[in-house]
Amino acid sequence: MKLRKVTAASAVVLALAVTATACGGDKKDDAGSSGSGGGKIKIGIKYDQPGLGLKQPDGSFSGFDVDVATYVAKQLGYKPSQIEWVETKSADRENALQRGDVKFIAASYSITDERKQKVDFAGPYLLAHQDLLVKKDSKISKATDLNGKKLCSVTGSTSAQNIHDSIAPKANLRNLPGYSECLAGLQSGSVDALTTDDSILAGYAAQDKYKGQFKLTGLKLSNENYGIGVKKGDSATVDKINKALEQMVSDKSWDKAVEKNFGADYKNEPAPKIGQIVK
């Protein structure tokens, strides 16, 4: 008799545990959940790129990538308060996805064949180009004008080297630790031009302390298709993000985010079609 009572009690406990597990299913910390019940989603961004992904002194975040990621997260069922921003530097983006540190990454992440071997991409959501940033009164209007000039880029970047190797072999390269140092050099005249993606350059130039001082040459020296990185094999999340990106374009939120973060002078390309990679 006592054995039967214990068994019955165990059955009740088991039933309650199963019910609790089922009810807690919506609290998963991933993009496939409804986002209800206080769940969180971890999203990788850059912390040091004005206009794209920048951590402000008060701890908040701004930039086009941040706005895109926030919109996507909302479509997946997450409020801004449920987003946990994670800094993902360029060299660690693939590892962060493979380890599961983040659900997806929006961090000026160009889609390339090499990267597609390691991660999956939603998008693209922006077509950027390698360009030059020069002073407002600069005579530099084409890449060959850089011969004999001082061209700056950040240490580890291939942008300046590509120009030196294939377009302006007599350019004097200056590699500095960060874009801020290059901008300071451009401002003082110790360098003549700064090169990287036009979206990054526009973001820096649109900062209040630099407004009106610089201009983009609009040379479109390369095509950079920015995508949202997702762990390899997670096709369900890729599909959901693609639908969110299409919605962002159709309701004009994409256009507003471009103007807000890059400034009115940025000659952006139209929003790219999902899956359309411009070589």
Side-chain angles (χ1 to χ4, degrees):
M1 186 67 178
K2 188 178 289 186
L3 180 59
R4 284 198 297 272
K5 286 182 179 178
V6 172
T7 303
S10 300
V12 171
V13 172
L14 179 60
L16 289 173
V18 171
T19 302
T21 301
C23 290
D26 282 343
K27 296 185 181 181
K28 287 183 180 178
D29 188 15
D30 61 32
S33 76
S34 66
S36 62
K40 294 280 189 178
I41 183 170
K42 294 181 180 180
I43 302 174
I45 57 169
K46 293 286 184 68
Y47 276 21
D48 59 353
Q49 287 185 342
L52 285 162
L54 182 68
K55 186 174 183 178
Q56 302 288 353
D58 64 359
S60 62
F61 297 88
S62 65
F64 183 70
D65 286 344
V66 173
D67 289 346
V68 169
T70 301
Y71 187 98
V72 168
K74 182 180 178 182
Q75 297 302 306
L76 298 179
Y78 293 90
K79 300 174 184 177
S81 60
Q82 292 176 288
I83 298 173
E84 182 178 336
W85 301 111
V86 179
E87 183 177 21
T88 48
K89 296 182 178 180
S90 296
D92 196 45
R93 286 179 296 203
E94 287 83 17
N95 291 332
L97 287 169
Q98 291 168 357
R99 291 192 303 259
D101 296 345
V102 294
K103 188 62 179 178
F104 64 82
I105 293 175
S108 55
Y109 203 1
S110 296
I111 301 171
T112 66
D113 291 337
E114 181 181 1
R115 287 172 179 162
K116 285 194 291 185
Q117 301 301 312
K118 300 176 181 177
V119 303
D120 287 336
F121 284 98
Y125 63 91
L126 183 73
L127 176 59
H129 306 282
Q130 185 182 344
D131 200 358
L132 304 175
L133 188 71
V134 297
K135 275 190 171 181
K136 208 75 172 180
D137 60 355
S138 173
K139 298 289 196 297
I140 295 173
S141 60
K142 55 187 184 295
T144 52
D145 291 339
L146 291 169
N147 282 308
K149 304 292 186 182
K150 301 181 187 73
L151 176 63
C152 191
S153 193
V154 298
T155 303
S157 170
T158 60
S159 300
Q161 193 66 50
N162 290 341
I163 290 175
H164 179 273
D165 291 347
S166 59
I167 302 173
K170 294 182 180 179
N172 299 311
L173 304 188
R174 296 287 188 274
N175 291 316
L176 296 178
Y179 294 115
S180 295
E181 289 87 345
C182 281
L183 277 164
L186 189 59
Q187 194 175 38
S188 69
S190 61
V191 300
D192 300 299
L194 163 59
T195 187
T196 187
D197 296 356
D198 55 5
S199 56
I200 297 173
L201 296 173
Y204 273 102
Q207 289 182 287
D208 289 339
K209 61 182 176 181
Y210 295 129
K211 277 185 179 177
Q213 297 185 42
F214 307 122
K215 65 181 179 181
L216 288 161
T217 57
L219 294 179
K220 299 182 179 180
L221 299 172
S222 71
N223 295 319
E224 306 296 336
N225 300 269
Y226 288 1
I228 293 182
V230 176
K231 187 174 183 178
K232 191 72 177 173
D234 191 357
S235 58
T237 298
V238 170
D239 291 343
K240 291 175 183 177
I241 293 175
N242 280 335
K243 288 178 182 176
L245 293 174
E246 289 173 345
Q247 177 66 28
M248 187 177 188
V249 173
S250 67
D251 69 14
K252 305 301 181 183
S253 296
W254 188 90
D255 298 284
K256 292 175 184 176
V258 168
E259 184 170 349
K260 168 190 166 188
N261 291 293
F262 299 133
D265 294 335
Y266 179 55
K267 304 295 190 293
N268 65 283
E269 298 280 3
K273 301 290 185 185
I274 297 299
Q276 182 176 306
I277 308 298
V278 179
K279 298 292 188 180

